[in-house]
Amino acid sequence: MANQKYKVAFFGAPGAGKTVFLGSYFNLVTNLGQGRPVSFKSAAAARATDRIIETLFKRQVPVQNKLNAGEVSYSVDSFNMDVQLFQTPGGTCGGSYEWEASPILTELESADGALFLISAEDLVKRPEKALQENRTFIKALSFLFESKGSKWGKEETPVVFLFTKGDAVPEATAEALAEKMTGLFAPELDEESPLADYLLKSPSAVKAYKVTAIGDWADFRTLPKEYKPQNVIKPMEELYKTMNEINKKKREVRSILIAIAALLVLTALGTWALDLRGWGRTKDEIAKLTAASQFDEALKIVNSYERGYIFPDPIPLVPSSLRGGADKERVRAGIYKAYEKAEFSALDPLLKGLDAGRMPDVKSETYLEAAGRVEKYLANPEFEKLNKANYEKVRSMAWYFE
């Protein structure tokens, strides 16, 4: 089965450790054989990550030319996934990046998952700095929640919070850092916003990890002597797993909807066939009644045919022009035409035999028969529409039978 494509938003202020985290992750899975194997989708992505890995783990010096997450695309075949990272701009002093006017909104709307990197050291020791540098990302994440919904495992977009530089605050737990983050970010949010609801009302649902990407740094210029990564692979694979499960649920829902649609179509077609067959039998019966001059009975059958539909309207998926009874008006008109002709043919000789200059014998059978036929003929307005000349001829003699 071909891999499914996934887009992952990558949030993090300058200095949060994005490059070091990704460098450590790809070093673990490509060079050290840990976690789920990945393969890069392009030579450019492979070169970009190789450069970071060589700088950190071979030359063992800090990276000067940071990794652009947007350059990184790779496959996790064990999850049938092709992953494309895209980096959300921002994090400048005051969080002033105008992302609302940026194409990043389109990227966020299409995100299948998100990674939010926050310096645990800044969160504990310099909370004002952490807030200042992450305001833009709080806005972007809030937009993501509002546009798609992001409660873990329940809605559209899973989010993982990574508290980087965990070695700088060894006493802090992931839970304590998540609580501190919530206390810092929540006042920036509308109380009714989905993100505020998620952070404040569903703290147990927040997926957060305290991360040490490489090991214990003596200072920001000196890399750790011993490679001791913590919580580098686990959060990534948790995100893969959740995105994969959500996509699987979507496919299942789509399959169910397709099956329902197919069932509706088959039902409609089956009903249509029954409807056409039933209308054919009805027309045969109408033709027999018409031939036997039982016009009123034939009209009753035509007028009551709609009530015989299996579905109201009658079959929403089939055009009315193709439904049984689509030619009902033509059939009704045919009945009335034969009806008018039969009635006038019986009445015309009686009218011709009248002597309008003499008083009628109102008790004679001929008079009574003619009077009844005139009344019946004139009581049917359809006859006037069908043959105005005949109708006027009968009406002109109506006074004689009053």
Side-chain angles (χ1 to χ4, degrees), residues 328-346:
K328 186 172 63 174
E329 291 306 316
R330 183 182 62 78
V331 172
R332 182 189 282 112
I335 297 170
Y336 273 118
K337 186 175 181 180
Y339 198 178
E340 189 278 334
K341 183 178 180 180
E343 288 296 315
F344 186 78
S345 295

Side-chain angles (χ1 to χ4, degrees), residues 120-140:
E121 183 179 19
D122 286 348
L123 200 57
V124 172
K125 300 178 181 180
R126 294 176 287 275
E128 286 300 323
K129 177 176 181 289
L131 177 60
Q132 190 82 343
E133 291 184 340
N134 284 289
R135 276 201 173 99
T136 296
F137 303 117
I138 296 169
K139 290 181 182 179

Side-chain angles (χ1 to χ4, degrees), residues 330-378:
R330 183 182 62 78
V331 172
R332 182 189 282 112
I335 297 170
Y336 273 118
K337 186 175 181 180
Y339 198 178
E340 189 278 334
K341 183 178 180 180
E343 288 296 315
F344 186 78
S345 295
L347 184 58
D348 193 39
L350 297 175
L351 295 178
K352 287 179 178 177
L354 292 177
D355 184 355
R358 297 178 59 185
M359 288 293 293
D361 182 359
V362 296
K363 293 184 179 181
S364 69
E365 290 185 7
T366 302
Y367 177 87
L368 293 174
E369 180 185 356
R373 286 187 176 277
V374 167
E375 183 179 8
K376 182 179 180 182
Y377 187 94
L378 294 177

Side-chain angles (χ1 to χ4, degrees), residues 111-379:
D112 299 293
L115 291 165
F116 197 148
L117 281 69
I118 304 170
S119 168
E121 183 179 19
D122 286 348
L123 200 57
V124 172
K125 300 178 181 180
R126 294 176 287 275
E128 286 300 323
K129 177 176 181 289
L131 177 60
Q132 190 82 343
E133 291 184 340
N134 284 289
R135 276 201 173 99
T136 296
F137 303 117
I138 296 169
K139 290 181 182 179
L141 189 61
S142 183
F143 173 82
L144 179 62
F145 271 66
E146 289 170 4
S147 64
K148 297 183 72 173
S150 304
K151 290 187 179 178
W152 183 276
K154 290 185 179 180
E155 296 180 346
E156 296 292 332
T157 309
V159 178
V160 176
F161 295 93
L162 302 178
F163 300 119
T164 58
K165 305 182 182 181
D167 55 293
V169 284
E171 71 289 348
T173 64
E175 292 76 17
L177 290 167
E179 186 176 347
K180 193 166 185 65
M181 174 193 70
T182 298
L184 198 62
F185 289 179
E188 301 290 314
L189 300 167
D190 186 327
E191 290 182 4
E192 302 301 320
S193 74
L195 179 55
D197 184 69
Y198 175 56
L199 293 174
L200 294 171
K201 298 180 182 179
S202 310
S204 61
V206 176
K207 290 296 177 181
Y209 296 86
K210 180 183 175 183
V211 176
T212 299
I214 297 180
D216 297 336
W217 292 62
D219 58 69
F220 69 92
R221 295 187 182 88
T222 308
L223 265 69
K225 294 181 179 180
E226 188 176 357
Y227 187 32
K228 296 191 298 183
Q230 296 178 22
N231 286 330
V232 173
I233 293 177
K234 184 178 179 180
M236 295 293 283
E237 296 191 350
E238 281 288 329
L239 182 61
Y240 300 154
K241 181 181 177 182
T242 305
M243 290 193 302
N244 187 269
E245 289 173 350
I246 290 173
N247 190 53
K248 183 179 178 182
K249 289 177 183 176
K250 287 180 180 178
R251 291 199 304 270
E252 289 173 352
V253 169
R254 279 196 294 269
S255 297
I256 291 170
L257 291 176
I258 290 171
I260 292 172
L263 181 60
L264 285 173
V265 170
L266 290 173
T267 302
L269 292 175
T271 305
W272 178 42
L274 289 173
D275 195 37
L276 289 177
R277 193 177 299 118
W279 176 237
R281 290 195 297 265
T282 299
K283 286 200 292 186
D284 289 342
E285 185 179 359
I286 290 170
K288 291 177 182 178
L289 291 170
T290 303
S293 298
Q294 293 179 285
F295 304 110
D296 290 328
E297 291 301 316
L299 287 170
K300 284 180 183 178
I301 292 175
V302 171
N303 293 333
S304 64
Y305 181 74
E306 286 182 352
R307 293 193 288 274
Y309 287 137
I310 294 175
F311 289 137
D313 189 32
I315 312 165
L317 299 179
V318 178
S320 59
S321 61
L322 299 178
R323 298 170 183 166
D327 59 342
K328 186 172 63 174
E329 291 306 316
R330 183 182 62 78
V331 172
R332 182 189 282 112
I335 297 170
Y336 273 118
K337 186 175 181 180
Y339 198 178
E340 189 278 334
K341 183 178 180 180
E343 288 296 315
F344 186 78
S345 295
L347 184 58
D348 193 39
L350 297 175
L351 295 178
K352 287 179 178 177
L354 292 177
D355 184 355
R358 297 178 59 185
M359 288 293 293
D361 182 359
V362 296
K363 293 184 179 181
S364 69
E365 290 185 7
T366 302
Y367 177 87
L368 293 174
E369 180 185 356
R373 286 187 176 277
V374 167
E375 183 179 8
K376 182 179 180 182
Y377 187 94
L378 294 177

